[in-house]
Amino acid sequence: MFFASDNSGPVPQQVLDALARANEGYAMGYGSDALSQSVADRIRTLFEAPEAAVYLVPTGTAANSLALATLCQPFQTVFCSDVAHIHEDECNAPEFYTGGAKLTLVRGGDRMTPEGLRAAIEGEETRGVHGPQRGPVSITNVGERGNVYTLDEMRALTAIAQEFGLPVHLDGARFANACVRQGCTPAEMTWKIGVDVAVFGGTKNGLMGVEAVVFFDPAKAWEFELRRKRGAHLFSKHRYLAAQMDAYLADDLWHDLASRANASCDRLRAGIEGAGLRVLTERHANMLFFEAPRDLHRALQAAGAVYYCWGSLESGAKEEPIMGRLVCDWSVTEDAIDAFVDLVKKAG
Amino acid sequence: MFFASDNSGPVPQQVLDALARANEGYAMGYGSDALSQSVADRIRTLFEAPEAAVYLVPTGTAANSLALATLCQPFQTVFCSDVAHIHEDECNAPEFYTGGAKLTLVRGGDRMTPEGLRAAIEGEETRGVHGPQRGPVSITNVGERGNVYTLDEMRALTAIAQEFGLPVHLDGARFANACVRQGCTPAEMTWKIGVDVAVFGGTKNGLMGVEAVVFFDPAKAWEFELRRKRGAHLFSKHRYLAAQMDAYLADDLWHDLASRANASCDRLRAGIEGAGLRVLTERHANMLFFEAPRDLHRALQAAGAVYYCWGSLESGAKEEPIMGRLVCDWSVTEDAIDAFVDLVKKAG
Amino acid sequence: MFFASDNSGPVPQQVLDALARANEGYAMGYGSDALSQSVADRIRTLFEAPEAAVYLVPTGTAANSLALATLCQPFQTVFCSDVAHIHEDECNAPEFYTGGAKLTLVRGGDRMTPEGLRAAIEGEETRGVHGPQRGPVSITNVGERGNVYTLDEMRALTAIAQEFGLPVHLDGARFANACVRQGCTPAEMTWKIGVDVAVFGGTKNGLMGVEAVVFFDPAKAWEFELRRKRGAHLFSKHRYLAAQMDAYLADDLWHDLASRANASCDRLRAGIEGAGLRVLTERHANMLFFEAPRDLHRALQAAGAVYYCWGSLESGAKEEPIMGRLVCDWSVTEDAIDAFVDLVKKAG
Amino acid sequence: MFFASDNSGPVPQQVLDALARANEGYAMGYGSDALSQSVADRIRTLFEAPEAAVYLVPTGTAANSLALATLCQPFQTVFCSDVAHIHEDECNAPEFYTGGAKLTLVRGGDRMTPEGLRAAIEGEETRGVHGPQRGPVSITNVGERGNVYTLDEMRALTAIAQEFGLPVHLDGARFANACVRQGCTPAEMTWKIGVDVAVFGGTKNGLMGVEAVVFFDPAKAWEFELRRKRGAHLFSKHRYLAAQMDAYLADDLWHDLASRANASCDRLRAGIEGAGLRVLTERHANMLFFEAPRDLHRALQAAGAVYYCWGSLESGAKEEPIMGRLVCDWSVTEDAIDAFVDLVKKAG
C-alpha cells in the first residue's frame, strides 16, 4: 500500500535491459553518440515535430528551470499556478536559473482559469520600467493537485499567452498521464495548441531519471545547450540517459506505463469514494487528493498505508479533516489498491 | 584503439547488477532510502571521517560547482590552475553557482607550484573593497594534463591556503587514479593533508554518472543540500545513484578499476616512448599527453586510433608538433594498447 | 498642484549649500574622507546605536536590495506585503541582489497583520529541502498605500520574526515621515522594537539621492561593503553623498522637512474629505490614496493637478471609481493645496 | 601636492551652478524630465549619432557592468586587458551583472596588442559547449597604467572583434582625456572606428558622479533600461544627474577640463623626468606611472606628496624600485606640480 509518490516505485525491466544493451563498447560523450541522436529523432517523430530541438536532462527541476531560463529574461516574471511545482518544490531553482526572474502566482489551485491568468498578466502591465516585465506562461499538466487540463482548457490559456506575445512552457513531469487521460497525441497536447517548449517527463513514469525538453522552435537550441552545460546537467556518459528514453519510446512503453497508472487510480478512486471518502481532485490521472478526519489517516497509516498528508497527524482534533495524497505509479498492484480500500472501509 | 576519454567506455557488470538489485519494491525519494544512507556511511568509513557530510550528484561539474558555491562568496575569487577543468571545461558553471565569483588562474600548467599559488594569492591582497576577496584554493588531482600531485606537493599547497585562512577544494574527477598512483588512502589524500571538501569521482572510473562530495567539516551540510536542490541536482529516485556507488565501494571496485586503468597507461607509455614518442606528462595516472608531428597523428587516426588533439590536424605543416591526449579507462585491453604501439612504430 | 511624487520637488537650499561647502580641496575617495566618517558617526548618534554600521547609497532600491542581499541567502524567501516596493517597483532588484531568493507575499495591503505574516511564514515550513527556506521579514513604514504602522503594530510583526529566528528589514524610504507621525525617535522605531537593518531614506524627503543603511549589528558590515561595491553603488566622490546627509542631519532638517510634508498632507486630507472625497489611506503621513469617479479625475487633471491614478482615465465609464494618489513633499505650498481642494469642490 | 586620484578633487563651479539651476520647481522622476531629455539629445549631437540610446548612471562601475551585461550572455567571456578596471577594481561587478560571465585576460598591460587579443579570442574557440563562448571585447582608453591608445591602435583591436563578430565596449572613465590627447572627436574615437557601446565618463573629469552610456545601435535600449532599474541605478531625481552632465556639455567644459588635466600631466612628466625619474607610462593623458627607490617615495610622502604606490613602503630594501602613480585632475595647480618636482630634485 505504497502511494507516497510516483518516484518511489521500481523501473520496468525494459529499462534495465536497455541500459545493459547500451553498455557495449565505446561511445563518444556528451550526447554525440548514435543512441542519443536516434532517441532525439524518435522524440521528434513522436511529437510530429521534425524541426524540434530535443534535449535530455536528469531531473524535472532541471528540465523546467533550464527551459524557463531560455524563455525568460531576468527582469521578467513567469506566470504560473500558485501551487505549481516550479513555485513550491524547486527551492528557487527557476529564480536561480533565470538569473533572478520573478514568479507571478495565479490564484486558485492547480488549474489556472483564463480569467485568473488574464488578471495576473494585466496586473503586471502598469509600471513600465519599475515592475518586472511579462514573461512566459507556465502550465503544468497533470497539475500538482492531480487535475488534468483538457485540451480546450489548455488552449484557452495559450490563447491568452499568445495575445500578449508570451511564450508557453509545459511542465510535463506527468505528461504521459495527462496525454493518456485525454486520449490525445503528444502533438495535440503541445505545439498544436500553442505550447512552445514542453517537458516530456520520464522519471515519474518508470524511468530512473530522464526528462526530455522539446523546443518546437529550435531558434534557441544552442543557448539551451550552453545553459544545460553551465547548469552541470550535460551528462558525459549520455548514452545511459538515452538508453532509458530508448526503452521508454519502444513499443509505446511510456503510454503503456501511464495507462496502467491511470487505470490503477481509477480503481482507487472508485474504491475510496465507494467507501465514503471525499476526493478533492476533479479530473484525475494517476494521483488523488482527498480529505479525511485526522483519525482515519492515523488508522490507515498505522495499518501500513504510506502516503503524504498536508498537515500534522500527530496533534490536533481527531475529527478535523486533513488533506491526503494518493499517487499510483505504473507498478502498483490491484491487490494493494483493494487492500487499501478495505482498510478505508474498516476504519471509516 | 579508443583513447578519447575515460567517459567513453562501458560500466562494469557490477554496476548493472547493483542497479538491478536496487530495483526492488518501493523506496522513499530524495536520498532518504536505506541504500543511500548506507552508501554515505560507507564513504565516511572509507575516508575515516565519521563526521563528514556526504552527498551524491550526477556530474563532476555539479560536484565542483556546488562545492565551490558552498565555500566561496560571490565577491571572492577561487585560486586554481590555468588549465583547471573548472576554468576551461565547465562553461562558467562555477561562476554561475557561486553567483558571480571570479577564478584567479595560477600560471604554469596542471600542477600549481607553491610559489605560483602564493604569488596569485598575494596578488589579490592590495585593493581592499575594490578587488575580489580571496576565496578557496581548488586543486585537481589527477590534473588536466595527466599529472599526479604527490602528497607532499599537495601538502605544500594546502599549507599556503591555511596560512591565508582559505578553504581547500579537491577536484577528484580522477580521485581513484591519483590515489592508486600514490599508494595512499583516501584519508591521506584529503583531510589528513588539509583538504576541506573532496570530490570522490565515479563517472570517469566506471560508473554511469555519480560523484560523491565529501565535506570533512559538516557545518555547511544543510546549505549544500539546499544548493544541490536549487541547482536541480537532487535526484528523486536517488537509489539509482546510490546503487552505482554501492557497487563502486564493494570489494574496493573503485580501487581495482583505477589500478587497471593506471596499469594500462603504464604499458601504453612504455610502448610509445619505446617507439620514440615524446610524452609531456611527467607523472601520469591513466592519461598521457604527448607530442607528435601532425603527419603521425593523421596516420594514427586514419588507422583507427581515436583520441583528441590540441590543434588542427587538417591544415598546417606536416612536421609541426601537435599535442595529443591518450586516456585509458578501466576497460581498455592490452591488445588495444599493443595495437596502438605497433601503429606508432610503423608510422613513426 | 503637483502631487505626483515626493521625488519630484526641489531640494532645500541647505543641501546645495552643503554641497558647496564640501567642494573644497582634495578628499580621499570611496568614503574614507572626514565628512563621510563624521556623517556616519552622527547617524549612529541619532539612532543611539554606537556600534551600528552605517552606509550611504544613492537610491532606495539599492538600499533595500543590498540590505536584503546581506540578510537573505539565495535559497530563502523574504516575507513582505503584497504591495511592497521591493515586490512591485524594483524590477526584480531584490531577486537580482540576493542571487535569486523569492518574495513571499503577505496578502492584505500595505500594513501586514500579525496573522497574515504568521500564516505566510508557517506556509513556508512544510517542504524541507524542496521549498525555499524562511528568510527575512521586510516591513515598509510608511507603507506603499500611505499608511503608517504604529510602533505597537511594528512590534507585533517583529515579535513573530523573532519567534521564528528571522531578521527584520525596515524599508524606510519615508522613514522620517513615519517617525514624525508617530512622534517617536529613530531608535524607538528601529532597534528598540526589533528591527535589525533600517533604511533611513533621504531622497523622498528633500535630498538629491542618498539613503543610509543602518546595521544595528555590525557583524555583516564588511560583507555589506563588498556587496555595495560589487553592486556598483560605492561612490568614488563619496563626499557629495555625505554632504547631502550632513545637511539632512543638521538642525534636524530631516525631521523638519517631514513635519512640513505631513502637515501639508493633513491639510490636504481635511480639504478633500470636506469636499466629499473618500480617502482610502487610514493613517497617513505625507501620502493619500483616494477614490473618485473617472470623470472627476479627468476634470482635476485637465485643470492642472498632477498625480497618478491606478487605472485608465482615457477609457471606461465616467462614474466608475478610480484610485488616485496624492503625495505631499516638503516643498508643497498651502496655496497649492487649497487650489486643489477648491478644484475638487467645483468639479465634485 | 595631491596626485592620488582624479576622483579626489573638487568639481568646478559650473557644476554647482547647474545643480542650483536645475533645482527649480517640480520635475517628473526617473529621467522623463525635460533636462534629462535635452542632455541625452546633446550627447547624441556631440557623438554625431542621432539614433544612439543614451543613459546616465552614477558610477563608472555601473556604466561598465550594465553595458557589458547588455552585450554579454552569462555563458560567454569578455576579452580585456589583464589590468583592466573591470577585472581588477570592480569587486566582481561585471560577473555579477552579467549573471556569471567570465573575463578572459589579454596579457601585457593596459594596451592590448592585436596579437594578444587575437590569441585570447582564438584560445576560447576549441571546446564547443564545454568552454565559455566568445563575448564582447572591452577596451579601456585611457588605460589603467596611464597609456592612451591611438585611433589606429584601437581600430586594430575593433577590426579583430568584428572579424569574430564580437561587440566592442569602450570603458571611457577617462574618455575626455584620451580624446584630447588624440585630438579627435568623440565620434572618431567610438562608432567611426567600430565601438558599439561607449562610456562617456564624467566623474573622473570634474563631475560629482555621472557617466553616460552610449549605445550606437539602440536595439538593446529597453533591455538596458530594465537592467539599470534592476541594478538600482535609475535615479528618481534624475535631473540632478542631468544637471551635472548639462554643465559638462556646456561650452565644451568636458574638453576644457581634460585639456587642463593633460597639460598638468605634461608639465609633471617633464619635471620629474628632468629630475631623473623613470616614467613607465609611454603615452600619457593625465596619469603617470613611474619607478623610484623605496627611499625616495618615503621622502616624497613624508614631505606631503599624496599618491599611491604598488608595493609596501614600510618594509623592504630602501634602494628597491617601487612603482608609483601620479594623477592630475583638472584642478591641480602649476604650483603644486612645481613643488612636487622640486621635492624630487631635492630628494633624488
Side-chain angles (χ1 to χ4, degrees), chain B residues 1-329:
Chain B
M1 292 180 302
F2 199 100
F3 303 105
S5 175
D6 34 14
N7 61 35
S8 302
V11 305
Q13 185 61 37
Q14 293 96 315
V15 174
L16 293 172
D17 293 346
L19 286 173
R21 260 200 321 275
N23 195 44
E24 295 292 323
Y26 294 95
M28 294 304 285
Y30 302 107
S32 43
D33 59 291
L35 184 59
S36 295
Q37 298 298 317
S38 130
V39 157
D41 280 344
R42 287 159 66 196
I43 291 176
R44 277 185 278 268
T45 302
L46 176 65
F47 278 84
E48 305 165 44
E51 306 299 325
V54 176
Y55 300 106
L56 304 184
V57 294
T59 70
T61 297
N64 287 332
S65 297
L66 286 165
L68 288 171
T70 307
L71 296 177
C72 187
Q73 293 291 311
F75 39 75
Q76 295 180 335
T77 188
V78 178
F79 298 94
C80 66
S81 147
D82 60 353
V83 296
H85 197 271
I86 59 170
H87 172 58
E88 292 212 318
D89 287 299
E90 302 190 350
C91 196
N92 299 354
E95 288 87 350
F96 176 42
Y97 275 87
T98 57
K102 195 183 277 289
L103 272 58
T104 296
L105 305 181
V106 178
R107 301 282 147 183
D110 65 348
R111 273 182 305 183
M112 297 185 286
T113 62
E115 297 72 32
L117 177 60
R118 179 179 295 279
I121 294 174
E122 289 179 348
E124 299 289 357
E125 82 173 306
T126 56
R127 289 186 300 277
V129 81
H130 301 282
Q133 305 298 298
R134 294 161 175 164
V137 172
S138 176
I139 301 173
T140 311
N141 205 5
V142 182
E144 293 299 307
R145 293 290 177 269
N147 285 298
V148 175
Y149 286 101
T150 64
L151 295 188
D152 283 348
E153 287 169 348
M154 283 185 69
R155 186 64 191 131
L157 298 175
T158 64
I160 293 171
Q162 287 170 342
E163 180 186 333
F164 288 95
L166 308 177
V168 176
H169 160 254
L170 174 60
D171 176 350
R174 296 186 177 92
F175 186 101
N177 303 93
C179 211
V180 163
R181 177 58 74 209
Q182 296 175 74
C184 70
T185 67
E188 286 166 354
M189 200 167 99
T190 55
W191 63 268
K192 289 192 174 176
I193 55 167
V195 170
D196 296 290
V197 180
V199 176
F200 179 58
T203 313
K204 289 187 190 299
N205 192 33
L207 301 188
M208 291 178 176
V210 186
E211 313 278 305
V213 183
V214 185
F215 282 76
F216 297 107
D217 176 350
K220 292 197 154 184
W222 180 233
E223 177 177 339
F224 184 88
E225 291 196 44
L226 291 163
R227 290 188 179 275
R228 177 176 58 166
K229 173 68 190 175
R230 190 179 73 121
H233 288 289
L234 176 59
F235 267 49
S236 58
K237 296 185 173 176
H238 197 273
R239 59 171 144 174
Y240 301 108
L241 291 184
Q244 296 179 57
M245 189 53 76
D246 185 46
Y248 200 54
L249 296 170
D251 304 321
D252 289 332
L253 179 62
W254 66 275
H255 199 274
D256 182 46
L257 296 173
S259 300
R260 283 199 239 175
N262 287 5
S264 294
C265 196
D266 292 345
R267 184 183 190 94
L268 180 62
R269 177 171 204 140
I272 65 174
E273 286 188 333
L277 280 187
R278 188 162 90 89
V279 171
L280 304 172
T281 304
E282 293 176 32
R283 192 185 303 125
H284 71 270
N286 70 319
M287 183 162 73
L288 295 177
F289 281 72
F290 71 104
E291 227 171 48
R294 183 174 276 115
D295 234 22
L296 180 53
H297 287 298
R298 286 174 181 156
L300 293 170
Q301 301 210 345
V306 183
Y307 61 89
Y308 286 104
C309 285
W310 266 238
S312 167
L313 289 194
E314 283 77 43
S315 63
K318 62 182 188 175
E319 308 82 5
E320 190 188 0
I322 299 283
M323 186 166 77
R325 185 184 77 164
L326 302 170
V327 192
C328 296
D329 85 322

Side-chain angles (χ1 to χ4, degrees), chain C residues 182-232:
Chain C
Q182 296 176 71
C184 69
T185 67
E188 285 167 355
M189 199 166 100
T190 55
W191 63 267
K192 289 193 173 176
I193 55 168
V195 170
D196 296 289
V197 181
V199 176
F200 179 58
T203 313
K204 289 186 190 298
N205 191 33
L207 302 188
M208 290 179 177
V210 185
E211 313 277 307
V213 183
V214 185
F215 282 77
F216 297 106
D217 176 351
K220 293 197 154 184
W222 180 234
E223 177 177 338
F224 184 88
E225 291 197 43
L226 292 163
R227 289 187 180 275
R228 177 177 57 166
K229 173 68 189 175
R230 189 179 74 120

Side-chain angles (χ1 to χ4, degrees), chain C residues 6-51:
Chain C
D6 34 13
N7 62 35
S8 302
V11 305
Q13 185 61 36
Q14 293 95 316
V15 174
L16 293 172
D17 292 346
L19 287 173
R21 261 198 322 275
N23 195 44
E24 296 291 323
Y26 294 95
M28 295 304 285
Y30 303 107
S32 42
D33 59 292
L35 183 60
S36 296
Q37 298 297 318
S38 131
V39 156
D41 280 344
R42 287 160 66 196
I43 292 176
R44 278 185 278 268
T45 302
L46 176 65
F47 278 85
E48 306 166 44
E51 305 298 326

Side-chain angles (χ1 to χ4, degrees), chain B residues 74-77 86-92 95-96 99-103 107 124 127 129-133, chain D residues 74-77 86-92 95-96 99-103 105 107 124 127 129-133:
Chain B
F75 39 75
Q76 295 180 335
T77 188
I86 59 170
H87 172 58
E88 292 212 318
D89 287 299
E90 302 190 350
C91 196
N92 299 354
E95 288 87 350
F96 176 42
K102 195 183 277 289
L103 272 58
R107 301 282 147 183
E124 299 289 357
R127 289 186 300 277
V129 81
H130 301 282
Q133 305 298 298
Chain D
F75 40 76
Q76 293 180 336
T77 189
I86 59 170
H87 173 59
E88 292 213 319
D89 287 301
E90 302 190 349
C91 196
N92 298 356
E95 288 87 348
F96 175 42
K102 196 183 277 288
L103 272 58
L105 306 180
R107 300 283 147 184
E124 298 290 357
R127 290 185 299 276
V129 81
H130 301 283
Q133 305 299 296

